[in-house]
Amino acid sequence: MAENGKNCDQRRVAMHKEQHNGNFTDPSSMNEKKRRDREERQNIVLWRHPLITLQYFSLETLVILKEWTSKLWHRQSIVVSFLLLLAVLIATYYVEGAHQQYVQRIEKQFLLYAYWIGLGILSSVGLGTGLHTFLLYLGPHIASVTLAAYECNSVNFPEPPYPDQIICPDEEGTEGAISLWSIISKVRIEACMWGIGTAIGELPPYFMARAARLSGAEPDDEEYQEFEEMLDNAEAAQDFASRAKLAIQNLVQKVGFFGILACASIPNPLFDLAGITCGHFLVPFWTFFGATLIGKAIIKMHIQKIFVIITFSKHIVEQMVAFIGAVPGIGPSLQKPFQEYLEAQRQKLHHKSEMGTPQGENWLSWMFEKLVVVMVCYFILSIINSMAQSYAKRIQQRLNSEEKTK
């Protein structure tokens, strides 16, 4: 695998010897200029330069729209085919008939799959930072199903309102009928769709590194530059972070499919490096994506599911609430909101929410809702900053090109 694209390596080395006004450019001065440009771009954020950041964000949005419009214009046959298919689907959706029951069923499943796949993509895609949708959406959903399953002694929640709202079925389940496997099966679709989304979100680093390797160009991407510097300075790496990155790179490069599978099967904040490594060494797409999909959507997803289910099982939750109450001094005051919250959830599950909502539920729900709002706002801000910095990079590249042509 390491020998794939050997000619591309030679072209990349030759690119370092860029000729400028008849003389070869000093690589150290080029790296210094790139470092200064990168630091200048990183200062373009909303909390430092709000007007410039918003201006560059707007201009970058227009540039992207123009690029996509141009691409679609040159693929008119695909656009026309898509519009015709869309027209047929719209007509099928709105025309009355016996097929409407199937349309509604397909629509429900499609929206469910698209929702969780979209959250998975947001969790792992770039754009400055990922939105931690497992902690904000999937994890709480699995925890709610787990608590409800033990309270109702069943996972046959009425649909609707499930999955939007969980209530116990009218028929009472037998005590002890709930098993770990029954809860895993209940949330399997949501969890697997989320895992598929995270696998899709890992594709941009792979395609970026692969395109750079095939073209011989050096994209001004920080992670890719860090990867190349790591390869150049592999023997001198001393700190733990560098050694961990080198270990992942060596595992993926030498072991191949099973190395990628191992990296994707555990919670791994450095997995972007695996995608860059696979793209750089021209690993076939289906080898990379297949291993990533199996690792994230099946193996890792079941590990995370089992952890959440065990953590929120009935006896563990009762022990945690009791442990909070045992804290000297402030224990009882901390324990009371949790007890009231759990009692409110039990009332909702048994159709008793109209009897009133305890204050503890309002307090805990308010805290979690504000946490979600803050993290979503931070994610949006990171997208704005990232797009503004992309436009600043366009300006720097244009200025550098003008200097070289003088």
Side-chain angles (χ1 to χ4, degrees):
M1 184 186 302
E3 294 183 359
N4 285 344
K6 185 175 181 180
N7 293 333
C8 297
D9 261 342
Q10 295 173 353
R11 290 200 304 269
R12 183 173 67 84
V13 172
M15 290 292 290
H16 283 297
K17 298 180 178 180
E18 181 182 359
Q19 192 171 6
H20 181 60
N21 291 334
N23 296 318
F24 289 107
T25 305
D26 183 7
S28 61
S29 63
M30 290 175 58
N31 292 334
E32 180 65 21
K33 188 176 188 314
K34 286 183 178 181
R35 186 186 62 79
R36 290 198 305 268
D37 289 345
R38 191 182 307 121
E39 290 177 352
E40 182 181 340
R41 291 198 306 272
Q42 289 174 347
N43 287 326
I44 301 177
V45 290
L46 278 170
W47 44 88
R48 291 181 181 175
H49 307 286
L51 296 180
I52 294 177
T53 303
L54 290 175
Q55 179 187 3
Y56 282 7
F57 166 74
S58 302
L59 294 173
E60 179 68 11
T61 303
L62 293 176
V63 170
I64 293 175
L65 290 175
K66 181 180 177 181
E67 290 176 351
W68 276 99
T69 302
S70 177
K71 291 179 181 178
L72 293 175
W73 179 256
H74 289 89
R75 294 170 175 80
Q76 296 181 12
S77 59
I78 297 177
V79 174
V80 171
S81 301
F82 174 77
L83 292 177
L84 289 174
L85 177 61
L86 183 62
V88 171
L89 292 176
I90 292 175
T92 304
Y93 183 81
Y94 285 103
V95 173
E96 296 294 335
H99 65 283
Q100 282 299 321
Q101 58 178 330
Y102 303 105
V103 170
Q104 293 175 2
R105 188 180 305 170
I106 293 173
E107 178 191 13
K108 178 182 177 181
Q109 294 299 318
F110 174 79
L111 293 177
L112 176 67
Y113 293 168
Y115 175 76
W116 289 111
I117 290 175
L119 288 178
I121 293 173
L122 289 176
S123 186
S124 61
V125 78
L127 299 176
T129 183
L131 182 65
H132 301 287
T133 53
F134 182 85
L135 296 177
L136 296 180
Y137 296 97
L138 182 59
H141 174 70
I142 297 174
S144 299
V145 171
T146 302
L147 293 172
Y150 282 105
E151 178 63 27
C152 305
N153 292 313
S154 173
V155 292
N156 299 319
F157 310 125
E159 300 183 30
Y162 182 84
D164 298 323
Q165 182 184 359
I166 304 176
I167 57 176
C168 289
D170 294 332
E171 63 277 5
E172 294 185 4
T174 56
E175 188 73 24
I178 295 301
S179 64
L180 178 67
W181 182 253
S182 62
I183 302 175
I184 289 176
S185 301
K186 186 65 177 178
V187 296
R188 179 178 290 119
I189 295 296
E190 296 92 330
C192 287
M193 291 301 107
W194 185 86
I196 291 172
T198 60
I200 295 173
E202 300 293 352
L203 293 179
Y206 169 83
F207 284 123
M208 177 271 299
R210 183 180 178 86
R213 181 67 181 273
L214 291 174
S215 65
E218 293 187 23
D220 195 6
D221 181 88
E222 293 179 18
E223 289 185 341
Y224 188 75
Q225 286 189 348
E226 181 181 351
F227 170 77
E228 290 199 321
E229 291 174 1
M230 182 186 68
L231 292 182
D232 295 335
N233 304 318
E235 297 181 357
Q238 296 294 333
D239 58 290
F240 175 78
S242 298
R243 291 199 300 269
K245 292 177 180 179
L246 278 172
I248 291 177
Q249 183 261 327
N250 290 329
L251 179 66
V252 171
Q253 180 184 353
K254 295 178 180 179
V255 184
F257 179 89
F258 292 101
I260 303 168
L261 182 65
C263 291
S265 299
I266 58 175
N268 183 4
L270 301 177
F271 188 78
D272 279 354
L273 185 62
I276 294 175
T277 301
C278 292
H280 180 80
F281 291 106
L282 304 180
V283 174
F285 170 76
W286 286 112
T287 300
F288 169 72
F289 186 66
T292 303
L293 189 64
I294 295 171
K296 286 184 171 291
I298 299 178
I299 301 175
K300 176 185 172 183
M301 199 61 260
H302 277 81
I303 294 174
Q304 292 176 303
K305 274 195 299 184
I306 292 172
F307 174 79
V308 174
I309 292 171
I310 292 176
T311 302
F312 286 89
S313 59
K314 186 176 181 179
H315 64 286
I316 295 294
V317 172
E318 292 174 350
Q319 290 177 4
M320 287 192 296
V321 174
F323 177 78
I324 292 174
V327 176
I330 61 174
S333 59
L334 288 176
Q335 185 186 47
K336 184 179 179 180
F338 287 95
Q339 290 176 330
E340 292 177 344
Y341 177 79
L342 292 173
E343 181 60 31
Q345 298 307 305
R346 294 190 184 99
Q347 291 178 1
K348 282 186 176 182
L349 292 171
H350 294 288
H351 314 274
K352 298 177 181 178
S353 57
E354 65 273 10
M355 296 175 58
T357 303
Q359 187 68 26
E361 183 191 15
N362 290 334
W363 180 77
L364 291 175
S365 299
W366 183 87
M367 290 290 292
F368 184 75
E369 289 172 0
K370 295 303 177 287
L371 175 64
V372 173
V373 170
V374 169
M375 294 191 71
V376 170
C377 289
Y378 178 73
F379 180 67
I380 294 174
L381 290 177
S382 70
I383 293 176
I384 295 175
N385 292 336
S386 179
M387 293 182 65
Q389 292 169 9
S390 296
Y391 188 79
K393 183 174 70 174
R394 293 178 188 272
I395 295 177
Q396 292 172 347
Q397 290 174 340
R398 186 174 68 246
L399 293 176
N400 293 336
S401 300
E402 291 175 355
E403 289 179 0
K404 292 176 183 179
T405 56
K406 289 181 181 179

